[in-house]
Amino acid sequence: MSTWEQGYKKWDSFQDLDESLKLQLDSMKEEKHLLEDAFYKELTFGTGGMRGVLGPGTNRMNKYTVRKAVNGLASYLLDNRVNVRDRGVVIAYDSRYMSKEFAIEAAKVLGVYGIKTHVFDSIRPTPLLSFAVRYLSTTAGIMITASHNPPEYNGLKVYNENGSQITPDEAEQLLSYINQTKDELQVSVLEKTEAEEKALLSWIGDEIDNAYLGRLSYISRLGTDTLEMEKDVKIVFTPLHGSSYDLIMRGLKQHHFSNVHVVEEQVKADPEFSTVESPNPEEHQAFHMAMDLGEKIDADILLGTDPDGDRLGVAVKNKTGNYHVLTGNQLGSLLLDYVLRHSNPVIYQNARMIKTVVTTELGKAIADSYGVKTIDTLTGFKYIGEKINSFDSTGETFLFGFEESYGYLVSGYVRDKDAVQAAVMTAEMAYFWKQQGKTLLEALHDLYEKHGYYVEGMSSIELKGKNGMTQIEKIMDDYRETPVVEIAGMNVEKVENYLTRQRINKTDGKVERIQLPKENMIKFMLEDNTWVCIRPSGTEPKIKYYYGVCGISMKDSESKLSVLEKAMAERMEEMLSIKV
């Protein structure tokens, strides 16, 4: 009997299996491929946590896989942190199916160990969870979310006592504790009512919200008199059925943005995300309803957040009167420039801007122009948070951080990407440039004129299931093992292999050490300021490839990018045609 069949038999024969999971399991009995996918492995616990499709099985998000992960977390904390039981853990959750239920399951497991939990009484965005860890001085935080994944997904992210997602080293240690639990069906839990009676489960109201908003009031770059003025910026906002509505509306109000129009159909916390194909502000379809409303009221900017409120998308009107959705690289560059031009030059020498290795090089060019050092990290905001944590000992000053996938952080009182901060700062930036007689698109054009026409793209291929994982591994192996001399007719000058942590200069053969953690990623630096990077997604069954160019005009850059995108698509298609 195969391993997956053994796992299935164990679940199928478990007398106390959750009734809804039992019904789902029974419906799958004649679908062997579905059973195999649900049991052929355990749900991957990566550097930030785990994410997967809801349903029965060891490779699915359910109460038992959540219990196993939290059981490991409890043991890890007790062995590696101080005063764990009293300091406790704070838990938040978003609008997805089973989010609150999983939050309670986590508290029930921690209760067995006598560890206090603070659980929010309703949905909250991820940045508030990061803030809550720091505000309450807990030993850890848990966020129940699958970010912008489809409705059938949910997930669990773990935050360390600094309020940032756990580091790779912490994740590796935690995983060893999780793996000590051999049977996820037998994890002990304390019943909810008993946990509440013993004060091991307490519910959080609006205390943390108010404290967060108090800190948010200090991020403005406007003078006191201007800050207190009502601002003539027309804003359309949609939370895309997620958790950011209350904090963003209150944040905009306290910064005196009163002309805010909400897409009412998308305010409701709907786990089906029924008005959009995907609740992802990176995808333009998510803005359709916001654009319709924007046209009716002649809005200056449109703001949209993902379900857990850590990513922000922005659209602004172009010269033809249509709304143009900014890329994450474009909005991040605009915000960076706005923060720097309104910061005291005295701090520039010690200030740091942080971005990821697949984020636009326009950010570095902007920072360089102000004399501010740029720090590159691996892909994922957890690495930006980790770097900010290190500044407590180095004395460096965090000024701004961003990544291409619509994640931004203005102030370090949160240690993860924060769409609430970004939304308020974007509104303020739009107001500033409107006072100068410019739109955000015109301000962006000025940055291109000054620093170069940096343009980037990203494509992904979804490869689900066991076979998909094998294909992804094969593609990555091929790129690492087969020498790549040119891409789209451009010579490869350097190869950065993040798995071996080596940078190879193809012109002189010189090998350098990459001063970043090991990662399953490879980056090709081509001639003419062009680059390509390939990596598997850490949260979805996808392989992603990123590319960037810098031309002498926007037309030149877009032409180069089109050629590069086509060449990469053809190469991927060729690789996928080879059976594994």
Side-chain angles (χ1 to χ4, degrees):
M1 185 182 293
S2 68
T3 303
W4 75 261
E5 288 174 311
Q6 292 172 359
Y8 162 64
K9 292 290 185 185
K10 183 181 75 172
W11 277 57
D12 191 47
S13 61
F14 183 54
Q15 294 297 315
D16 296 324
L17 190 68
D18 178 86
E19 190 61 34
S20 64
L21 293 174
K22 177 67 174 173
L23 289 172
Q24 291 178 65
L25 201 61
D26 288 343
S27 71
M28 296 162 60
K29 283 188 174 180
E30 303 305 318
E31 305 283 350
K32 274 199 169 183
H33 67 287
L34 294 179
L35 288 175
E36 180 178 6
D37 193 56
F39 287 97
Y40 83 94
K41 69 182 182 73
E42 293 189 354
L43 193 62
T44 303
F45 191 94
T47 53
M50 61 187 192
R51 190 181 300 187
V53 174
L54 291 161
T58 55
N59 188 33
R60 294 288 184 265
M61 278 293 296
N62 52 65
K63 64 192 294 184
Y64 303 108
T65 52
V66 167
R67 286 176 178 179
K68 178 175 180 175
V70 178
N71 194 54
L73 175 63
S75 297
Y76 167 77
L77 292 174
L78 289 168
D79 284 352
N80 294 278
R81 298 292 181 266
V82 298
N83 199 20
V84 174
R85 290 184 172 88
D86 286 337
R87 291 171 64 198
V89 174
V90 58
I91 305 174
Y93 52 92
D94 67 6
S95 57
R96 289 181 173 274
Y97 288 117
M98 298 300 294
S99 282
K100 187 171 185 176
E101 290 85 347
F102 290 160
I104 293 171
E105 288 297 331
K108 287 161 62 176
V109 173
L110 292 167
V112 169
Y113 291 86
I115 299 173
K116 291 181 179 178
T117 57
H118 312 268
V119 183
F120 282 94
D121 60 5
S122 60
I123 61 172
R124 294 297 198 282
T126 291
L128 192 69
L129 183 278
S130 172
F131 174 76
V133 171
R134 298 172 62 78
Y135 181 80
L136 296 172
S137 297
T138 61
T139 56
I142 296 173
M143 183 71 201
I144 307 297
T145 179
S147 188
H148 55 275
N149 278 55
E152 63 268 23
Y153 280 78
N154 211 329
L156 178 154
K157 292 199 291 189
V158 178
Y159 286 73
N160 60 28
E161 59 189 343
N162 294 310
S164 59
Q165 293 183 49
I166 54 174
T167 67
D169 287 343
E170 289 171 328
E172 188 175 345
Q173 291 179 54
L174 174 55
L175 182 59
S176 69
Y177 280 86
I178 293 172
N179 288 339
Q180 289 173 22
T181 301
K182 300 304 180 184
D183 189 349
E184 65 283 344
L185 300 176
Q186 300 295 337
V187 174
S188 298
V189 296
L190 193 67
E191 286 308 309
K192 174 175 167 285
T193 52
E194 185 178 355
E196 291 172 326
E197 289 167 359
K198 292 182 175 180
L200 290 171
L201 195 173
S202 61
W203 296 94
I204 303 173
D206 59 2
E207 174 196 354
I208 308 295
D209 306 57
N210 294 334
Y212 173 95
L213 290 166
R215 293 298 301 270
L216 182 69
S217 64
Y218 291 105
I219 73 168
S220 174
R221 288 337 197 243
L222 299 176
T224 304
D225 291 342
T226 308
L227 178 60
E228 296 299 321
M229 292 169 50
E230 291 297 321
K231 299 171 181 65
D232 62 340
V233 177
K234 286 185 181 179
I235 301 169
V236 166
F237 168 53
T238 172
L240 296 178
H241 304 292
S243 58
S244 68
Y245 172 76
D246 185 61
L247 277 185
I248 287 183
M249 291 298 288
R250 291 175 67 186
L252 290 171
K253 183 178 180 180
Q254 76 177 18
H255 286 77
H256 299 278
F257 291 96
S258 56
N259 202 348
V260 181
H261 302 257
V262 179
V263 181
E264 296 291 346
E265 301 92 331
Q266 297 177 328
V267 169
K268 181 183 177 183
D270 174 13
E272 276 296 317
F273 312 113
S274 53
T275 65
V276 290
E277 294 173 24
S278 169
N280 185 355
E282 293 182 71
E283 298 179 15
H284 294 191
Q285 55 79 25
F287 275 98
H288 284 170
M289 296 185 81
M291 287 180 179
D292 289 342
L293 179 56
E295 289 172 359
K296 287 180 184 177
I297 67 165
D298 192 29
D300 295 299
I301 57 171
L302 316 178
L303 307 175
T305 55
D306 66 346
D308 68 320
D310 60 356
R311 298 172 193 258
L312 174 74
V314 173
V316 295
K317 267 193 175 179
N318 59 24
K319 290 180 180 179
T320 63
N322 297 316
Y323 285 101
H324 175 89
V325 180
L326 297 174
T327 69
N329 284 317
Q330 291 171 336
L331 180 57
S333 297
L334 281 165
L335 286 168
L336 171 64
D337 178 72
Y338 179 75
V339 168
L340 289 174
R341 73 169 56 236
H342 289 90
S343 298
N344 189 335
V346 172
I347 70 169
Y348 286 164
Q349 184 175 354
N350 206 42
R352 302 291 180 260
M353 187 277 283
I354 312 175
K355 70 177 189 65
T356 73
V357 294
V358 296
T359 300
T360 180
E361 291 302 309
L362 177 57
K364 183 178 186 304
I366 292 168
D368 285 349
S369 71
Y370 287 93
V372 170
K373 181 180 177 182
T374 295
I375 296 175
D376 278 321
T377 71
L378 292 177
T379 305
F381 222 92
K382 56 184 171 286
Y383 296 107
I384 294 177
E386 180 184 12
K387 185 56 68 173
I388 298 171
N389 294 337
S390 73
F391 292 170
D392 293 339
S393 59
T394 65
E396 295 164 282
T397 301
F398 170 71
L399 209 56
F400 188 74
F402 76 114
E403 60 182 359
E404 94 300 333
S405 56
Y406 287 49
Y408 325 93
L409 184 63
V410 181
S411 175
Y413 68 83
V414 168
R415 297 293 166 91
D416 202 356
K417 52 186 175 286
D418 187 342
V420 182
Q421 287 188 22
V424 171
M425 189 57 79
T426 298
E428 180 175 301
M429 177 173 64
Y431 169 75
F432 169 79
W433 284 116
K434 188 173 183 179
Q435 297 303 108
Q436 314 302 311
K438 293 182 179 180
T439 67
L440 290 184
L441 283 177
E442 289 168 331
L444 180 64
H445 177 76
D446 291 346
L447 291 178
Y448 287 140
E449 281 284 293
K450 181 177 181 180
H451 302 291
Y453 287 84
Y454 291 86
V455 181
E456 298 78 29
M458 190 279 288
S459 300
S460 64
I461 300 172
E462 187 172 50
L463 298 166
K464 292 183 177 181
K466 185 177 180 180
N467 289 338
M469 181 179 290
T470 302
Q471 285 180 298
I472 290 172
E473 290 173 356
K474 178 68 165 57
I475 289 170
M476 293 304 300
D477 288 343
D478 283 349
Y479 268 111
R480 276 191 295 268
E481 296 167 6
T482 306
V484 179
V485 178
E486 61 85 26
I487 299 175
M490 289 175 279
N491 293 326
V492 175
E493 296 183 343
K494 292 181 181 179
V495 178
E496 295 179 342
N497 185 338
Y498 287 84
L499 203 58
T500 61
R501 301 174 68 192
Q502 289 183 324
R503 180 183 296 107
I504 302 172
N505 190 317
K506 305 297 283 188
T507 55
D508 59 13
K510 184 178 178 181
V511 179
E512 300 173 345
R513 181 78 166 168
I514 296 174
Q515 301 301 320
L516 290 172
K518 184 185 294 186
E519 178 90 342
N520 188 14
M521 179 171 71
I522 188 164
K523 187 173 183 180
F524 299 98
M525 313 299 292
L526 313 179
E527 59 185 304
D528 203 19
N529 289 320
T530 302
W531 58 269
V532 173
C533 185
I534 302 102
R535 61 179 284 269
S537 169
T539 57
E540 301 171 276
K542 293 180 178 179
I543 187 162
K544 294 184 173 183
Y545 47 106
Y546 308 77
Y547 27 88
V549 301
C550 181
I552 58 174
S553 67
M554 184 55 69
K555 184 177 180 180
D556 179 42
S557 291
E558 288 176 346
S559 175
K560 287 180 177 179
L561 196 73
S562 177
V563 171
L564 196 58
E565 182 178 13
K566 182 181 178 183
M568 287 300 300
E570 290 174 351
R571 175 74 188 271
M572 285 292 181
E573 188 177 344
E574 181 183 333
M575 286 181 163
L576 290 172
S577 67
I578 301 172
K579 292 186 177 181
V580 294

